Amino acid sequence: MKQNMTMLAAVALTLVASPCRADGETIAVFTKNQTNPYFQAVRVGSEASAKNLNAKVIQYIPTKPDSIPEQLSQVEDVVVKKPDAIVFVPVDYKALVPAVEKINAAGIPVTNITDRIAGGQLVAYVGADDYNIGLESARHLLKAIGGKGNVLILEGVKGTLTNTDRVRGFNDALKEFPNVKLLASQPGNYQRLQALQVMENLMQSFREIDGVLAANDPMAVGALEALDGANRKAAVIGINGSKEAVELIKSGKLLASGDFNGFIQGCLGVEIALRNLRKQPTPKEVILKPMVISKANFQAYETPVEQRQCPKLAELATN
Amino acid sequence: MTKPCAVATPSLLARVPGVAIVLAILFVVLGLTSPSFATPANVANILVQSTILLLLALPMTLIIMTEGLDLSMGAVLTFASIALAITVLATGSVSLALLAALVVGSGFGLLNGWLVAALDIPPFIATLGTLGIAQGLSLVATDGQSVVGIPRSIQVVYSGSMLGIPIPIVIGAVAFALLCLLLYRTRFGTYVFALGGNREALRLAGVPVRRMLIAVYALGGAMAGFAALLMTGRMSAAHPTAGLGLEFDAIAAVAVGGTSFERGDGWLIGTLLGVVTVGVLRNGLNLLALPSSVQVACIGALVIFALFVDGLRSRA
Amino acid sequence: MSTAAHGMPARLTPSRDTLQALYRLLAAGLLCVVLSFLSDAFLTPGNIINVLRQTALLFMMASGLTLVILTAGLDLSIGANIGLSACLAASVIKATGSPWLGVATGIGCGTLVGLLNGALVTTLRIPSFIATYGMMWMLTGITYYYMGGETIHGFPASFRQFGSGYFLGVPIPVYMMLLFLLIGSAFAQRTIWGQEIYAIGANPVAAQLSGVPVARRLVLVYVVSGAMAGLASLIILARINSAQGDIGEELTLPAIAAVLIGGTSLFGGSGSLSGTLIGALILTLVLNGMNLLQINAAWQPLITGTIVLLAVWIDARARRASE
């Protein structure tokens, strides 16, 4: 009888102490704005991961897109509420350092994704390498045009880390192809309409354009529209791997798009945050390999974000 | 210290409830729906966060009273913060840095005032133009990058406390008191009232109207320069797009507070309440974790509702 | 000042308006001359067509707004209105495959928003600045919520003609611009309703006393402003072939700037649609010039701001010279 009781007690204890059903943690996820599909993908990924792992996610997005003071305020407000963990995309990787320090001071663990924050203590960083994505995508295009010709760069928003790195990647790729001439580098501010109008204007100055390196997909599509409108053709690449881009790659209009995948980062950010809370081992850093989506491999990217599965952490950890 | 704002005409007193009603409603609703809202820590949070906006909204009240507008305040605030950051990094002196920010702010304020008063350019356009100039200068000076490495001495302005009260709140209170004094107790203040409703009378009376107008805009610029100290302290950095758009919040706070665009009435307490109302709303929406799109819609609804209530009261 | 029928104060005499229009045209002409010297590509047919098309779009947005500003009001919700109308129209086109339903949705949404603005301003007596500002936030919130961070893209070719098609070598939006310029100017200068709108801006009290149905005219101008925003959203949709929540965000200030550069006064009662056209042209020329001359991104807001100021200063001088 005593033995049975002990056994029962032991079983009961194991069940109670078992970590496999640790749930209900609240993770606060911070993204930059409501309109960029990239961040929508991050949010979808974060929710998918949380669902898999039995946790809850609350989204914090500035009402004014990319507003530094607002994100600062949101962090200050959230620290009062004390979520279990925070997954953080800083609006600006330098200006939001005090916010991270505040979160640290409040004892809430922070996982940083997308833009690497310039300070503060982090559980981990998950990111893609904008520089390498820019580099690889540009190389893809430059090879495709045979290593010679005239090329334009459509820049994103001046001052953002993604833009600085991607454009740097473009420029470094150009250095590898000395027979390619860079005609101009003008800002489209990551906006489709603006890129379209800028492209139209540039097409007036330059009769021969063989390639366009656009720092994101909406601008790439804007450039394509401008080219179409004038019945001209050029090889165009974008970055984002958005649904629209994949469709255009499939139909052959867009040459390629660098995969800057918010979905995976959202997944991994939440997963790492939860593993950290549940005292499971976590990597310090996950840098996703740069992938260029082109006619050769677009099928994998055709599923809409909402239907994708979160990848396993083990597959992607680089250290 | 006497309370200058208590010297109010009956019509002013009658208008207190307008924005105060809205604020009270918000407080009750949020206090009931969100447990962390009505805590001292959170309220202090709201007040501290609202200070920068208050420093912009107070002079904006005066400008609006003169039937003007200053759309450049956010951009000037941003550029002043960059000037401040660059100066403190170059010289290590906080006072020199603050001076730089004030000079930049006042400079733009003077420019605005001159464009409006001397060149007769409508304030909307004049300040839209200087907005572009200030924004452009910010981008050029920093090449789009944040300026970092701000010393503790500046960070402490935002995060430190004096006798247990956070420094920003102290600054806000002092600014409020000073502006009240200026508006309600000095001759300049009476002129400001007249600049809105009765400019011709002033001119006929021989008052240098142009200089008064320029002074009003210069004040706005100077306070934006001062606010730059708080903003830089808050971010420990200066960023070329950080303050953009704040002027619209300031204008909304002034309007929600009851200052009319048409009549030259000025209502600083109203502005203060308006600023706090906006801050309370945003904070509450964050605490409730409402989807951001809903938050955006709520802010619009609040602004309209506040004026609706105000309209009801003034017609009652 | 002569009085017209109804004993209302007449709007400004034609000669002063014409003088100001001439000054502005001069400014635009000057810009063209300077740009053609600085850039070979400027005077090419391709570039001229681009400039015309971009001007047409800006004009469409700014035309209804001109009427609002003539009444001493302001419509800050234009950009957000464009965003919402575009997104709704896009969904409808995608869902039903019918461009015409999409057009109806876009214009319908814009008009409805205009109606709401008008109601806020006339019935609830909320100052237009604030009413449209609040409306801007609400529309933006609704748009974001509706789109959920997604984009809608890929519209039928027949629809896209609207924005990117040509007729006799000239882009279709340019014809629309001319059409609305004619209709709008005729309305403003030659109909009683138009004169009443000027009167409301010049002196609302006097207008009311002379029997002008002020509230109804005010609602009218906001409805027109909203409807034009809806129309503009369709052109943009057709041009860029996609809809995203933030399409309209950057569009409000340029629209207002175009009206003001065009000489319409914020205080109401003076201005014209042809002025707005020239204002739109000047703004477009500036952007076009900056692209052609490949001006560094950081300098662009600086230059735009300075030119805006310059244009308005010239206008202010002309105004004072004729006083």
Side-chain angles (χ1 to χ4, degrees):
Chain A
M1 188 57 182
K2 244 195 198 160
Q3 253 188 351
N4 281 345
M5 287 301 288
T6 329
M7 269 236 313
L8 255 172
V11 169
L13 264 172
T14 333
L15 279 174
V16 164
S18 158
C20 70
R21 277 268 140 188
D23 44 6
E25 291 106 327
T26 310
I27 315 261
V29 175
F30 284 78
T31 42
K32 287 195 198 183
N33 60 54
Q34 297 185 80
T35 50
N36 188 335
Y38 171 81
F39 294 112
Q40 182 64 12
V42 166
R43 292 188 283 268
V44 170
S46 66
E47 313 246 345
S49 188
K51 212 165 88 146
N52 285 344
L53 298 169
N54 263 309
K56 205 166 73 113
V57 155
I58 304 184
Q59 304 287 352
Y60 288 94
I61 319 168
T63 56
K64 258 185 254 169
D66 303 348
S67 164
I68 296 175
E70 242 194 279
Q71 198 178 57
L72 278 170
S73 293
Q74 286 184 324
V75 168
E76 287 164 359
D77 292 343
V78 152
V79 157
V80 164
K81 273 190 84 161
K82 285 216 184 300
D84 295 304
I86 290 181
V87 173
F88 196 62
V89 180
V91 165
D92 180 83
Y93 69 107
K94 289 187 203 157
L96 268 297
V97 171
V100 176
E101 289 171 351
K102 261 200 193 111
I103 302 176
N104 293 146
I108 306 173
V110 175
T111 307
N112 173 217
I113 64 176
T114 309
D115 281 2
R116 194 193 287 266
I117 190 101
Q121 290 177 355
L122 306 168
V123 168
Y125 169 68
V126 179
D129 191 342
D130 281 292
Y131 170 75
N132 275 314
I133 289 180
L135 188 66
E136 291 299 326
S137 311
R139 275 188 188 149
H140 188 97
L141 181 141
L142 294 170
K143 278 193 212 140
I145 62 173
K148 58 179 172 38
N150 295 328
V151 150
L152 286 177
I153 292 183
L154 286 176
E155 300 175 20
V157 175
K158 210 158 179 67
T160 54
L161 191 56
T162 52
N163 182 51
T164 316
D165 283 346
R166 287 178 197 180
V167 173
R168 201 164 46 97
F170 288 167
N171 282 312
D172 283 355
L174 279 167
K175 288 190 200 135
E176 298 172 2
F177 293 83
N179 287 326
V180 175
K181 177 150 175 260
L182 176 64
L183 296 171
S185 185
Q186 281 281 291
N189 283 335
Y190 284 147
Q191 295 278 342
R192 189 183 316 248
L193 181 62
Q194 202 162 337
L196 195 159
Q197 291 180 337
V198 167
M199 187 70 193
E200 274 183 338
N201 292 337
L202 291 175
M203 288 194 314
Q204 297 311 313
S205 302
F206 304 113
R207 292 281 116 207
E208 294 268 335
I209 302 175
D210 301 297
V212 178
L213 300 170
N216 78 345
D217 279 343
M219 293 199 301
V221 177
L224 278 175
E225 299 288 341
L227 286 164
D228 266 354
N231 271 322
R232 283 165 68 164
K233 280 203 171 331
V236 178
I237 56 112
I239 297 181
N240 267 140
S242 66
K243 197 159 65 140
E244 193 180 7
V246 172
E247 278 172 29
L248 288 169
I249 291 174
K250 187 170 174 183
S251 67
K253 301 205 79 160
L254 184 67
L255 180 68
S257 177
D259 181 20
F260 187 56
N261 195 329
F263 179 76
I264 297 183
Q265 292 191 25
C267 282
L268 290 181
V270 164
E271 189 179 343
I272 292 179
L274 284 169
R275 288 175 69 92
N276 174 257
L277 283 173
R278 298 172 184 180
K279 310 271 189 265
Q280 293 160 2
T282 56
K284 276 307 272 171
E285 197 177 81
V286 180
I287 308 284
L288 301 173
K289 270 188 8 214
M291 285 288 299
V292 178
I293 308 173
S294 66
K295 207 102 193 246
N297 59 0
F298 69 87
Q299 289 89 344
Y301 296 90
E302 271 187 293
T303 18
V305 188
E306 288 77 6
Q307 294 166 18
R308 293 193 200 170
Q309 295 288 347
C310 274
K312 294 266 186 304
L313 183 60
E315 292 171 1
L316 294 161
T318 50
N319 68 349
Chain B
M1 182 176 85
T2 56
K3 291 211 221 153
C5 295
V7 179
T9 65
S11 64
L12 287 173
L13 275 174
R15 283 162 69 195
V16 167
V19 58
I21 293 179
V22 175
L23 184 56
I25 296 178
L26 266 182
F27 232 92
V28 168
V29 169
L30 289 170
L32 289 174
T33 48
S34 171
S36 14
F37 177 74
T39 61
N42 191 48
V43 172
N45 221 7
I46 298 175
L47 291 177
V48 167
Q49 288 168 4
S50 307
T51 319
I52 295 179
L53 187 61
L54 182 67
L55 288 179
L56 293 185
L58 286 173
M60 187 70 89
T61 317
L62 270 71
I63 294 177
I64 291 183
M65 282 167 66
T66 67
E67 286 181 352
L69 265 184
D70 188 351
L71 294 179
S72 66
M73 268 200 193
V76 171
L77 167 66
T78 308
F79 186 51
S81 79
I82 291 176
L84 188 146
I86 294 180
T87 312
V88 84
L89 286 177
T91 68
S93 154
V94 175
S95 13
L96 267 183
L98 181 57
L99 189 64
L102 286 172
V103 164
V104 163
S106 322
F108 270 95
L110 286 168
L111 177 61
N112 280 329
W114 179 67
L115 289 171
V116 169
L119 293 191
D120 254 339
I121 299 183
F124 194 101
I125 273 278
T127 55
L128 196 60
T130 47
L131 184 161
I133 295 178
Q135 193 181 341
L137 286 175
S138 301
L139 283 175
V140 169
T142 61
D143 199 33
Q145 303 290 322
S146 289
V147 181
V148 292
I150 309 293
R152 286 283 308 157
S153 39
I154 293 196
Q155 294 180 30
V156 127
V157 172
Y158 190 80
S159 52
S161 327
M162 211 184 257
L163 301 174
I165 307 179
I167 296 186
I169 296 185
V170 172
I171 294 181
V174 169
F176 179 68
L178 283 176
L179 272 240
C180 273
L181 257 171
L182 184 68
L183 187 61
Y184 298 118
R185 293 294 200 134
T186 66
R187 191 175 307 178
F188 178 73
T190 22
Y191 289 161
V192 171
F193 274 98
L195 276 172
N198 228 334
R199 204 171 293 192
E200 270 317 298
L202 272 188
R203 205 165 295 189
L204 292 173
V207 173
V209 167
R210 227 170 250 192
R211 260 188 271 158
M212 297 280 116
L213 213 43
I214 294 181
V216 172
Y217 283 93
L219 177 65
M223 290 193 70
F226 193 83
L229 179 62
L230 281 175
M231 191 166 83
T232 316
R234 181 180 201 200
M235 302 194 304
S236 299
H239 187 89
T241 60
L244 297 181
L246 270 180
E247 62 279 342
F248 275 107
D249 282 358
I251 295 174
V254 171
V256 163
T259 299
S260 153
F261 286 99
E262 273 121 46
R263 290 188 303 272
D265 292 334
W267 194 210
L268 286 178
I269 286 196
T271 299
L272 175 64
L273 290 174
V275 167
V276 173
T277 307
V278 171
V280 161
L281 180 70
R282 282 180 174 279
N283 171 274
L285 292 176
N286 280 335
L287 289 182
L288 289 175
L290 285 179
S292 190
S293 49
V294 174
Q295 293 191 25
V296 172
C298 281
I299 294 172
L302 169 81
V303 166
I304 293 184
F305 181 64
L307 263 93
F308 172 57
V309 169
D310 199 60
L312 281 181
R313 292 214 87 260
S314 59
R315 270 179 292 160
Chain C
M1 204 160 40
S2 61
T3 46
H6 294 219
M8 289 188 299
R11 55 174 185 78
L12 303 165
T13 55
S15 58
R16 175 164 146 187
D17 271 347
T18 329
L19 191 68
Q20 290 181 347
L22 275 173
Y23 269 110
R24 239 164 282 120
L25 211 48
L26 204 67
L30 202 65
L31 254 181
C32 286
V33 168
V34 168
L35 283 176
S36 57
F37 271 116
L38 290 177
S39 166
D40 291 330
F42 181 72
L43 277 183
T44 59
N47 194 51
I48 296 179
I49 288 187
N50 281 341
V51 168
L52 283 176
R53 197 212 318 267
Q54 293 171 14
T55 307
L57 182 59
L58 191 52
F59 174 73
M60 303 292 278
M61 292 189 272
S63 49
L65 186 60
T66 312
L67 292 179
V68 170
I69 296 185
L70 277 176
T71 67
L74 203 53
D75 187 354
L76 291 175
S77 65
I78 286 216
N81 191 353
I82 290 180
L84 183 62
S85 304
C87 291
L88 285 178
S91 312
V92 167
I93 296 182
K94 272 292 178 180
T96 66
S98 155
W100 287 110
L101 273 180
V103 169
T105 311
I107 299 186
C109 173
T111 312
L112 192 62
V113 170
L115 200 59
L116 282 173
N117 278 328
L120 285 175
V121 170
T122 54
T123 324
L124 294 190
R125 305 285 194 87
I126 300 178
S128 61
F129 189 103
I130 284 288
T132 54
Y133 175 73
M135 185 63 87
M136 168 182 84
W137 279 95
M138 294 206 290
L139 293 175
T140 310
I142 297 174
T143 312
Y144 285 172
Y145 186 75
Y146 180 71
M147 294 299 284
E150 300 292 324
T151 13
I152 302 178
H153 55 265
F155 303 120
S158 52
F159 176 70
R160 306 209 42 225
Q161 284 302 317
F162 217 16
S164 35
Y166 290 85
F167 184 67
L168 298 179
V170 175
I172 294 192
V174 177
Y175 289 108
M176 297 178 65
M177 165 176 83
L178 291 172
L179 181 69
F180 281 103
L181 177 66
L182 283 171
I183 297 180
S185 295
F187 173 77
Q189 328 279 43
R190 292 189 202 285
T191 64
I192 302 276
W193 284 21
Q195 293 199 344
E196 289 176 342
I197 289 175
Y198 276 98
I200 295 175
N203 195 336
V205 175
Q208 178 106 44
L209 291 175
S210 337
V212 171
V214 173
R216 264 189 276 158
R217 297 293 171 261
L218 282 181
V219 171
L220 178 66
V221 298
Y222 286 99
V223 165
V224 170
S225 176
M228 292 308 285
L231 190 58
S233 78
L234 293 168
I235 299 182
I236 295 178
L237 215 55
R239 198 81 235 287
I240 62 179
N241 204 22
S242 85
Q244 203 171 315
D246 61 354
I247 285 186
E249 245 157 61
E250 311 267 308
L251 298 176
T252 310
L253 284 185
I256 298 181
V259 176
L260 296 180
I261 294 178
T264 302
S265 163
L266 271 178
F267 299 114
S270 114
S272 67
L273 278 172
S274 46
T276 301
L277 183 67
I278 301 180
L281 181 63
I282 292 180
L283 272 181
T284 310
L285 284 173
V286 170
L287 181 63
N288 182 259
M290 292 197 293
N291 284 146
L292 289 181
L293 299 175
Q294 290 183 54
I295 305 225
N296 189 307
W299 289 95
Q300 293 193 15
L302 197 57
I303 295 182
T304 316
T306 317
I307 299 213
V308 164
L309 282 179
L310 217 66
V312 178
W313 178 64
I314 294 178
D315 190 69
R317 297 219 78 193
R319 205 184 286 270
R320 271 197 295 166
S322 60
E323 262 166 10

